[in-house]
Amino acid sequence: MWFHKPKRNMQSIQANNYLVHFNQNAYEALNTHLKENKYSNLFIIVDNETNEYCLPKFLPLLETDLNIEIIEFEAGEANKNIETCIQIWNVLTELGADRKSLIINLGGGVVTDLGGFVASTFKRGIDFINIPTTLLSMVDASVGGKTGVDLGNLKNQIGVINVPQMVLIDSNYLETLSQAEMRSGLAEMLKHGLIYDAAYWKQFLDLKSIDYADFDELIYRSVEIKNDIVIQDPTEKNIRKALNFGHTLGHAIESYFLESEIKTTLLHGEAIAIGMILESYISLHKGLISTEEYAEIKTALKNIYDDVQIEENDIDPILELLIHDKKNEYGLIQFALIEGIGKIKINQSVENKLILDAFQDYKS
Ligand SMILES: NC(=O)c1ccc[n+]([C@@H]2O[C@H](COP(=O)([O-])OP(=O)(O)OC[C@H]3O[C@@H](n4cnc5c(N)ncnc54)[C@H](O)[C@@H]3O)[C@@H](O)[C@H]2O)c1
Ligand SMILES: [Zn+2]
């Protein structure tokens, strides 16, 4: 089992006002935190899957005399909404949660986003700790302080920026995660390489040669990169927009496949992988990357992710969704492109024709 190989002692990463702890260090930091803070009681929020797969791993490592209550909701993005929050606020109230209660969110991005929002708003905000259990939530949702829920079809429409007391990343939880969910999280790691660190990107070119014991190091580097970017630009005025690489078109594709009755739903990372190919093509044709770089990116992504059928008549509705993307200020579609592998060029407007060409090239 590769996750059980001994790991080097990984230093905690200083995020904006909190620490991200890794593997063995994480539980020590948590237990110390519990000793040093006089919490009244402890609530652990899980979904039904992390209740089954992750909670049994977590509880034996927890050292505390506090009364512990488990709050479970049904897994899935469809439940990341205000109704679920209301249920949890009610349960917290019935179980006597107060301003000195602590919430631990144990799960993927749905649990940490929703649980973070529940904690940030309950009695005007109580302490919470996030333990991400999917690859995506470890490398992406662990940093940045975004919490929130969806409003109908509108993703993350309601929320607040608020930081946890700490984040614990333990790759042992990934043991039970499906290959598809692993690949979905991997897309964000590839993005981190493409926008910020060419040497990091290179490590993924021959995935088969990656000794999975090294995977911890890769997760660590991704957290470091996202954190570096967020710290430089917490309010997303400039460089943080780099994190949108692959997401302008990727989000539109993800929404289109979600809404379509005949298409199978794509995981976030699967849609972002397509978005990164398309936006690399656009980067190529804006003279920002070379033909060789484009070929390298396209080949690497197509090796990892299955081809997705995008028909001629899918493209228009995808572009419609793109225009409605909330990230477009003043009606202009702005892309974060790459300028060579490992470097970003933000605020790029792109003509429609080039977007259409990018789709044709993806299909070829
Ligand atoms: N706050 C942020 O900055 C940020 C960043 C990226 C994504 N997000 C949000 O994160 C969400 C997506 O996160 P996600 O991909 O983790 O989805 P998710 O939380 O829905 O998890 C995916 C599935 O895996 C299951 N699961 C979780 N951990 C498991 C484990 N260890 N073993 C087996 N199954 C497990 C879950 O129950 C779920 O069914 C979206 O709502 C997105 O908006 C937030
Ligand atoms: Zn993403």
Side-chain angles (χ1 to χ4, degrees):
M1 277 293 169
W2 56 270
F3 286 115
H4 292 303
K5 289 194 180 167
K7 296 151 189 158
R8 84 170 165 91
N9 199 2
M10 285 191 271
Q11 279 224 320
S12 304
I13 293 178
Q14 178 68 58
N16 173 29
N17 280 328
Y18 64 95
L19 288 168
V20 183
H21 302 287
F22 292 83
N23 301 326
Q24 309 100 305
N25 293 351
Y27 300 100
E28 218 177 289
L30 171 65
N31 291 326
T32 307
H33 181 83
L34 292 175
K35 263 193 216 99
E36 288 175 354
N37 289 269
K38 295 202 163 30
Y39 290 114
S40 52
N41 41 26
L42 170 58
F43 295 87
I44 304 176
I45 300 183
V46 288
D47 66 27
N48 57 295
E49 294 187 32
T50 59
N51 195 356
E52 180 177 349
Y53 299 115
C54 305
L55 195 65
K57 288 182 177 168
F58 172 62
L59 287 178
L61 298 166
L62 185 64
E63 290 165 11
T64 179
D65 298 329
L66 290 175
N67 179 47
I68 302 171
E69 301 282 356
I70 311 298
I71 302 181
E72 180 198 292
F73 66 94
E74 200 183 322
E77 184 74 28
N79 300 306
K80 188 180 147 182
N81 56 35
I82 207 75
E83 284 78 27
T84 306
C85 294
I86 293 173
Q87 286 168 16
I88 298 178
W89 287 319
N90 276 322
V91 173
L92 287 169
T93 306
E94 283 158 19
L95 295 175
D98 59 29
R99 292 202 39 87
K100 286 302 292 176
S101 299
L102 173 71
I103 290 181
I104 294 181
N105 300 308
L106 179 70
V110 167
V111 172
T112 57
D113 271 17
L114 181 140
F117 178 69
V118 162
S120 302
T121 46
F122 185 75
K123 289 187 181 278
R124 299 199 179 90
I126 62 173
D127 282 1
F128 68 101
I129 287 173
N130 284 344
I131 310 184
T133 59
T134 62
L135 186 57
L136 185 96
S137 58
M138 289 179 188
V139 299
D140 195 348
S142 60
V143 177
K146 291 184 178 172
T147 77
V149 294
D150 305 336
L151 182 69
N153 288 331
L154 299 172
K155 277 205 64 169
N156 303 322
Q157 182 80 347
I158 307 297
V160 296
I161 301 271
N162 188 24
V163 292
Q165 294 296 306
M166 61 175 70
V167 169
L168 316 188
I169 295 184
D170 179 355
S171 57
N172 275 312
Y173 293 116
L174 299 176
E175 233 177 0
T176 53
L177 195 66
S178 69
Q179 282 304 308
E181 291 287 355
M182 283 295 281
R183 268 195 301 275
S184 180
L186 184 63
E188 301 290 352
M189 301 170 84
L190 297 166
K191 178 191 79 180
H192 291 148
L194 288 173
I195 63 174
Y196 205 72
D197 184 345
Y200 181 60
W201 158 258
K202 289 267 184 236
Q203 294 188 57
F204 293 101
L205 286 184
D206 186 9
L207 266 190
K208 287 193 193 71
S209 74
I210 293 181
D211 175 350
Y212 278 97
D214 298 339
F215 215 71
D216 277 315
E217 306 273 344
L218 298 173
I219 293 173
Y220 187 87
R221 180 66 189 136
S222 257
V223 174
E224 221 170 34
I225 291 174
K226 172 145 191 208
N227 190 46
D228 259 18
I229 293 176
V230 169
I231 281 178
Q232 287 174 58
D233 176 26
T235 54
E236 211 164 329
K237 296 249 168 11
N238 43 69
I239 192 190
R240 189 164 176 179
K241 292 182 183 170
L243 295 167
N244 291 330
F245 176 65
H247 282 62
T248 309
L249 287 164
H251 265 156
I253 293 168
E254 186 180 10
S255 308
Y256 178 69
F257 276 71
L258 183 68
E259 285 166 23
S260 158
E261 278 166 15
I262 44 171
K263 301 277 185 191
T264 48
T265 303
L266 294 175
L267 292 176
H268 177 69
E270 293 170 336
I272 296 317
I274 304 171
M276 289 194 287
I277 295 176
L278 298 171
E279 293 177 22
S280 296
Y281 179 89
I282 295 171
S283 303
L284 167 68
H285 285 271
K286 279 181 149 292
L288 296 170
I289 63 172
S290 67
T291 317
E292 293 72 31
E293 286 173 313
Y294 176 60
E296 182 177 300
I297 295 167
K298 187 176 177 186
T299 309
L301 289 168
K302 287 215 168 196
N303 277 340
I304 302 171
Y305 300 92
D306 288 342
D307 269 336
V308 172
Q309 289 304 318
I310 300 178
E311 314 295 340
E312 242 10 83
N313 57 4
D314 294 328
I315 298 176
D316 269 352
I318 291 174
L319 294 185
E320 285 290 308
L321 285 164
L322 179 66
I323 292 162
H324 287 116
D325 190 321
K326 69 177 188 309
K327 291 211 175 71
N328 302 316
E329 293 161 29
Y330 318 115
L332 277 176
I333 299 169
Q334 297 278 1
F335 284 77
L337 300 176
I338 45 172
E339 190 174 20
I341 290 174
K343 239 184 115 214
I344 200 77
K345 192 149 174 103
I346 57 167
N347 299 335
Q348 296 297 296
S349 53
V350 177
E351 51 183 307
N352 254 3
K353 167 82 169 59
L354 188 47
I355 301 176
L356 293 173
D357 289 350
F359 275 102
Q360 295 310 328
D361 184 79
Y362 174 79
K363 280 148 49 90
S364 68

